[in-house]
Amino acid sequence: MDKEKTRESNFELLRIFSMLYIVVYHFIVYAIKPGSPELDYLMNPITNVLHIGVICFVLISGYWGIKFSLNGFVKLFLQCSFYSILIYLVFLAINPDQYNSKEFLLSILPFQWWFIQIYLCFYLLTPVINIPLKNSSQQKKLLYIVILGIISFVFGQFIPSLSDGKNCINFIFIYYIGDYLKTCTKLKPKRILLYYIGFNLVLFCCSMLLRNKPVAGGILYRSIFPYNSIGLIFNATLLFMFFSRLTVKSKIINWIAASVLPVYLIHENQFLSRYLYGAISNLKGSMPDPWVLIAALILLAIIVIAICVLIDKILSPVYKLIQKAIINSKYFERINSKIEEILT
């Protein structure tokens, strides 16, 4: 097993940390900030620091590469649909008067999560996306990154559909960066960590100092917050490079990381999140000290992640059985073999 090219625990640990960033970020944006503008002076700088979670996931995909397969696409699609349908059915069991035929039909499709929408499209494009990376020199790869960066970041300042970075173009841009980082091996982990900490301290301080300056604050925001911003991608790259240099081997970490995606699917489901964020919002009144509130949010995020992981470990045999039944069907195997024949 050790001789195979598999993801070491350092990348799985990064996946766990990235999801922790995402969950805490969601708690702040959807539960704490609404109705509490007096906390913006602290919450906005913290969300600027935490916003790198999604970028890290795409960097990991680029570093290891995605080899397209119909099996992989269907497994991902069914896993997301399983949780979408299941949570909606539980919601209806508790609130039967809330049944809506349109919502029921939409729950079959896993498109309520913006990340899943883009990632599924991105996954389907990987046979094309990977072509320029095959047998290309590092100079060519760097050129591709520069071109995609100009489209995503520079054009994104003027084209609304590209402005927030939530699109396939930006995901390809980050994916190519992840691939390129395989060659960046000179820096030591401690030095990268110092760069990461230093960058985020500067980011945090600038966010606080410029919060009441519309022009300077707006420039800072465009530079470090949207998913296509240079500052955000640089920040995520520093964290990614730090974890990529670590030597970690842990079965527990790998076991937890295998259920990281379901953490997102469960806690960010529209029919569950309204209750979760509503309950967390009530903490504001009982914790007047914002720093104590932040500590509580981190602790709650760890608890939510742990619960979601345990739920997935219980339910994964069910959706894996569904996946297996479809993938092993005669008609599916014919289609899959034909696609593999075309792509090889």
Side-chain angles (χ1 to χ4, degrees):
M1 187 71 170
D2 292 338
K3 295 181 180 179
E4 297 177 6
K5 185 182 178 182
T6 56
R7 291 180 181 171
E8 298 292 339
S9 298
N10 54 335
F11 289 102
E12 304 310 306
L13 186 61
L14 175 58
R15 281 158 53 84
I16 295 169
F17 266 92
S18 297
M19 186 52 64
L20 179 62
Y21 278 33
I22 290 170
V23 174
V24 176
Y25 172 85
H26 286 163
F27 285 177
I28 293 174
V29 172
Y30 300 126
I32 304 302
K33 280 173 60 67
S36 301
E38 72 279 3
L39 294 175
D40 283 354
Y41 77 95
L42 178 61
M43 297 304 167
N44 286 346
I46 291 175
T47 54
N48 289 341
V49 171
L50 294 175
H51 206 212
I52 62 175
V54 169
I55 308 293
C56 288
F57 279 106
V58 184
L59 286 172
I60 294 171
S61 296
Y63 185 90
W64 290 99
I66 299 175
K67 184 179 179 181
F68 175 83
S69 72
L70 187 60
N71 286 1
F73 178 81
V74 169
K75 283 181 179 180
L76 176 61
F77 190 95
L78 289 175
Q79 182 185 30
C80 298
S81 292
F82 174 82
Y83 278 108
S84 181
I85 296 168
L86 178 64
I87 294 174
Y88 182 65
L89 292 176
V90 172
F91 171 77
L92 287 182
I94 300 172
N95 306 279
D97 57 318
Q98 297 291 317
Y99 174 76
N100 182 294
S101 57
K102 182 180 179 181
E103 287 183 343
F104 176 75
L105 292 174
L106 288 176
S107 71
I108 299 173
L109 301 173
F111 297 146
Q112 61 171 290
W113 303 279
W114 75 263
F115 177 78
I116 299 302
Q117 293 176 27
I118 297 172
Y119 197 82
L120 287 172
C121 295
F122 174 75
Y123 190 98
L124 288 174
L125 288 171
T126 50
V128 178
I129 294 168
N130 288 329
I131 291 174
L133 297 177
K134 292 180 180 178
N135 304 318
S136 290
S137 66
Q138 293 307 111
Q139 287 183 328
K140 278 189 177 180
K141 289 182 179 181
L142 194 57
L143 177 62
Y144 301 149
I145 291 171
V146 171
I147 293 171
L148 287 167
I150 291 172
I151 295 171
S152 185
F153 179 69
V154 180
F155 289 11
Q157 309 302 311
F158 309 99
I159 302 173
S161 59
L162 298 176
S163 62
D164 61 0
K166 295 180 179 180
N167 54 73
C168 283
I169 295 292
N170 193 50
F171 271 42
I172 296 170
F173 171 46
I174 300 166
Y175 181 84
Y176 275 29
I177 292 174
D179 174 82
Y180 189 82
L181 290 176
K182 287 186 288 189
T183 63
C184 303
T185 58
K186 293 182 179 179
L187 291 176
K188 295 181 179 180
K190 289 183 180 179
R191 179 165 292 186
I192 300 172
L193 182 60
L194 287 175
Y195 290 158
Y196 173 73
I197 293 172
F199 181 83
N200 281 277
L201 284 174
V202 172
L203 173 60
F204 186 89
C205 292
C206 288
S207 298
M208 293 195 76
L209 292 173
L210 299 178
R211 68 183 186 275
N212 294 322
K213 300 182 184 298
V215 177
I219 294 172
L220 178 68
Y221 174 85
R222 285 299 308 163
S223 301
I224 53 88
F225 191 79
Y227 285 114
N228 60 342
S229 60
I230 300 301
L232 186 72
I233 295 173
F234 176 73
N235 195 11
T237 300
L238 287 175
L239 186 65
F240 175 88
M241 290 178 67
F242 168 70
F243 276 93
S244 71
R245 302 297 181 274
L246 298 181
T247 302
V248 183
K249 291 185 179 180
S250 170
K251 291 182 179 179
I252 295 176
I253 290 174
N254 295 344
W255 184 80
I256 295 172
S259 296
V260 158
L261 178 60
V263 173
Y264 173 72
L265 299 177
I266 295 170
H267 95 274
E268 188 63 0
N269 182 282
Q270 60 181 321
F271 297 106
L272 188 150
S273 61
R274 64 184 72 175
Y275 299 107
L276 176 61
Y277 298 148
I280 292 172
S281 179
N282 294 329
L283 290 174
K284 290 184 289 188
S286 58
M287 294 183 181
D289 187 330
W291 290 106
V292 174
L293 178 60
I294 291 297
L297 292 178
I298 295 171
L299 179 60
L300 282 171
I302 294 171
I303 293 171
V304 167
I305 289 172
I307 292 172
C308 291
V309 167
L310 291 175
I311 289 173
D312 184 63
K313 298 305 179 185
I314 294 170
L315 295 178
S316 60
V318 180
Y319 64 73
K320 285 180 180 178
L321 194 64
I322 298 171
Q323 292 171 340
K324 187 176 180 181
I326 293 175
I327 289 172
N328 291 340
S329 66
K330 185 188 301 183
Y331 297 105
F332 184 89
E333 288 181 345
R334 287 179 182 175
I335 297 171
N336 187 46
S337 61
K338 187 65 177 177
I339 291 174
E340 289 183 350
E341 181 182 334
I342 295 170
L343 293 176
T344 54

